[in-house]
Amino acid sequence: MKRIVLATFACGLATAQVWSQGQPAAPPAQGPQIETRKVDGTDNVYMFRNQNSQAMFIVTSEGVMATDPVGYGRPQGGAQYLAEIRKITNQPIRYVIYSHHHFDHIAGGGAFKEAGARVIAHRKAKERLEVLKDPNTILPDETVDTRRTITLGGTALELTYVGPNHSDSALVMRLPKERIVFVVDLLPVGQLPGRGMIDFYPLEAEQSIKQILAMDWERLIPGHPGVGGRLGTKKDALDQLTFLQDASAAVKAEAQKGRCWEPVESELKRPKYVSWPGYEANLQFTLRRYCALWGRGT
Ligand SMILES: [Zn+2]
């Protein structure tokens, strides 16, 4: 049994940093609300962007593997995504794979379901969605526990669970031949994590990033556009790990002196990262999460 799908979003000017959710602060959106482009150097790998979220899809001779519908707050988002795919191919949409269970990435899958796609997600994503019953989010048809590879029309897409990190339900999607990974929210490209760190697992996230770094890949498609719209590299992933470790160590020292939540959340600075987009608006959310860990044990 093989079937799947996935996607993401974000945008804005000065306010972008404020409203982006589980995601990094977005750089100002360039161009139209919706944009689809083929990933350079590939035969059949595409990126679909709706405002400040984006997804990957793969077109094959036996159908399409799509990911995250990225339709949060945009009732037509799923249909618009499907229409973009239809400009490229009439092949059936076989799978929609969810990157994780957060609605800003996976709402809007109804159009894909109606088109016959099977929705695939991590087991934890389905468990959470069954409880939350979001009216705009389609429940998965199939789940993955630790690993599954879907092969369609000669293209393999590997789905791997690397433990809890940005949520407890994320799948890393890797195209072995193309040496591309699609990782959503855990690894912002060149910018700070966003405010959506409520269910972030700080210690486990470091282990997840190390596992991802050990995989064979060259380019990373993020769930929100990287700075300048670029794809990520292993250096970006390592930079993100270093940022998290730096913030964790700094907050730990302060927390053990009784300085969490305040003044750490308001006053602690990480000057090395001041040039990263999202620094001013979003550092507080990272500090808060580590204050919870080191100041409360949660
Ligand atoms: Zn998220």
Side-chain angles (χ1 to χ4, degrees), residues 94-116:
R94 295 288 301 279
Y95 306 107
V96 173
I97 305 153
Y98 290 166
S99 61
H100 63 308
H101 77 279
H102 293 168
F103 304 149
D104 59 318
H105 293 272
I106 64 170
F112 288 95
K113 183 80 175 169
E114 287 166 19

Side-chain angles (χ1 to χ4, degrees), residues 227-296:
V227 173
R230 70 179 178 87
L231 303 189
T233 63
K234 285 202 171 176
K235 180 179 184 305
D236 289 307
L238 190 57
D239 285 349
Q240 201 63 222
L241 175 62
T242 303
F243 165 72
L244 293 173
Q245 290 172 328
D246 172 86
S248 180
V251 174
K252 181 179 182 179
E254 295 298 311
Q256 291 174 353
K257 293 181 219 159
R259 294 165 64 84
C260 277
W261 311 94
E262 295 294 347
V264 163
E265 192 172 317
S266 302
E267 296 180 9
L268 189 67
K269 306 298 178 196
R270 307 313 305 142
K272 187 178 162 191
Y273 298 96
V274 72
S275 65
W276 282 17
Y279 177 86
E280 289 295 336
N282 289 342
L283 179 63
Q284 60 184 309
F285 304 116
T286 295
L287 299 178
R288 179 179 295 177
R289 185 64 195 88
Y290 285 110
C291 258
L293 176 66
W294 298 119
R296 299 293 183 276

Side-chain angles (χ1 to χ4, degrees), residues 22-23 100 102 104-105 166-167 184-185 196:
Q23 315 61 32
H100 63 308
H102 293 168
D104 59 318
H105 293 272
H166 164 79
S167 70
V184 175
D185 290 349

